[in-house]
Amino acid sequence: QYTTSDGLSSNFILALEEDREGNLWVGTHEAGLNRYKDGRFTVYTTRDGLPGNTILAIHQTREGALWIGTQAGLSRYKDGSFKSYRVKDGLPDAKVQVIHEDREGNLWLGTVGGLSYLRGEKFTSYRETDGLSSNNVRSIYEDADGVIWVGTYDGGLNRLKDGKFTSYTMAQGLFNNGVFQILEDNRANLWMSCNLGIYRVSKKDLNDFAEGKIQDIFSI
């Protein structure tokens, strides 16, 4: 076990990521970002350039940059320094809860104000007015066909394909409107978590519903 007595900045942990060098990055509540390397913790906070000290998501991209989602914006850590992005730079909301890198190396970001797509230095955002079922995005998954699946806190699941959203909620047969994590098994089922447990749905049913072949879906 590692606690503040070992140099960790807080015992309230919200995010973890192992980088390609084997270092462990630890995100905390209100106490910044920790790097565990060679048996020692190094702490990074707003004093070092982070936009906020509550770390909600950490992801290292294929090209090596470390991206950090905080309650006050997004930050990229590369070559020993932070570069931060906020609402004024194009984020739909400052609270970045999830970071996903797609097959082309672009980032998808889940915030409490919508879904955002970062290509280069340009943000494109999607909100309820664009067809997203809820602006509170909690999970993002990309399947083998390049379809983006978006889970929300209270608005169910969304499929983004060819620029169009399809939404699935309890009204269509989803077990719960919370989708906090999305995983796919080897039988093409999507498994999702919520605050009442975990459940699964056939991806074929989800796609058939989106294409108008069926009127309801079934989840267990």
Side-chain angles (χ1 to χ4, degrees):
Q1 293 186 15
Y2 299 90
T3 67
T4 52
S5 62
D6 303 294
L8 195 63
S9 63
S10 171
N11 293 330
F12 195 157
I13 309 302
L14 296 174
L16 293 170
E17 175 80 348
E18 181 185 10
D19 67 23
R20 60 181 63 182
E21 296 176 353
N23 303 312
L24 185 66
W25 295 85
V26 185
T28 70
H29 176 68
E30 297 184 345
L33 178 69
N34 297 252
R35 182 187 66 181
Y36 185 68
K37 180 180 181 179
D38 299 328
R40 180 172 176 264
F41 287 101
T42 302
V43 181
Y44 303 89
T45 67
T46 52
R47 291 173 294 182
D48 303 292
L50 278 169
N53 286 329
T54 295
I55 312 300
L56 303 169
I58 311 168
H59 175 76
Q60 186 177 40
T61 61
R62 292 189 290 271
E63 57 91 19
L66 195 75
W67 290 85
I68 303 103
T70 80
Q71 91 288 3
L74 176 73
S75 193
R76 181 183 67 196
Y77 181 73
K78 187 176 182 181
D79 300 326
S81 63
F82 292 95
K83 179 178 181 180
S84 294
Y85 304 83
R86 297 176 172 82
V87 172
K88 65 182 178 62
D89 301 302
L91 277 173
D93 190 273
K95 189 175 181 180
V96 180
Q97 304 184 119
V98 59
I99 303 169
H100 171 77
E101 182 183 14
D102 68 20
R103 60 180 65 189
E104 296 178 352
N106 304 306
L107 292 185
W108 292 87
L109 310 162
T111 79
V112 297
L115 176 71
S116 193
Y117 171 72
L118 177 60
R119 182 182 177 90
E121 294 288 312
K122 182 182 178 182
F123 290 93
T124 302
S125 296
Y126 304 91
R127 300 177 176 86
E128 293 175 12
T129 52
D130 302 298
L132 192 65
S133 65
S134 169
N135 286 334
N136 194 342
V137 176
R138 291 291 300 270
S139 55
I140 303 170
Y141 172 72
E142 180 184 17
D143 68 20
D145 299 317
V147 176
I148 300 294
W149 299 88
V150 182
T152 69
Y153 178 77
D154 55 1
L157 178 69
N158 297 260
R159 185 187 85 154
L160 178 58
K161 182 178 181 181
D162 300 328
K164 179 185 177 183
F165 284 102
T166 302
S167 299
Y168 312 85
T169 67
M170 294 174 68
Q172 288 78 45
L174 204 64
F175 171 74
N176 189 265
N177 285 337
V179 182
F180 302 160
Q181 179 62 285
I182 306 168
L183 296 174
E184 184 173 358
D185 65 20
N186 59 8
R187 296 183 178 181
N189 295 305
L190 294 186
W191 288 81
M192 289 159 279
S193 63
C194 66
N195 56 15
L196 294 177
I198 61 173
Y199 56 99
R200 75 172 187 261
V201 183
S202 162
K203 199 167 68 171
K204 181 181 184 302
D205 284 357
L206 295 170
N207 288 328
D208 284 349
F209 178 87
E211 294 164 11
K213 298 178 181 177
I214 58 175
Q215 300 301 311
D216 299 289
I217 59 172
F218 177 71
S219 63
I220 58 174

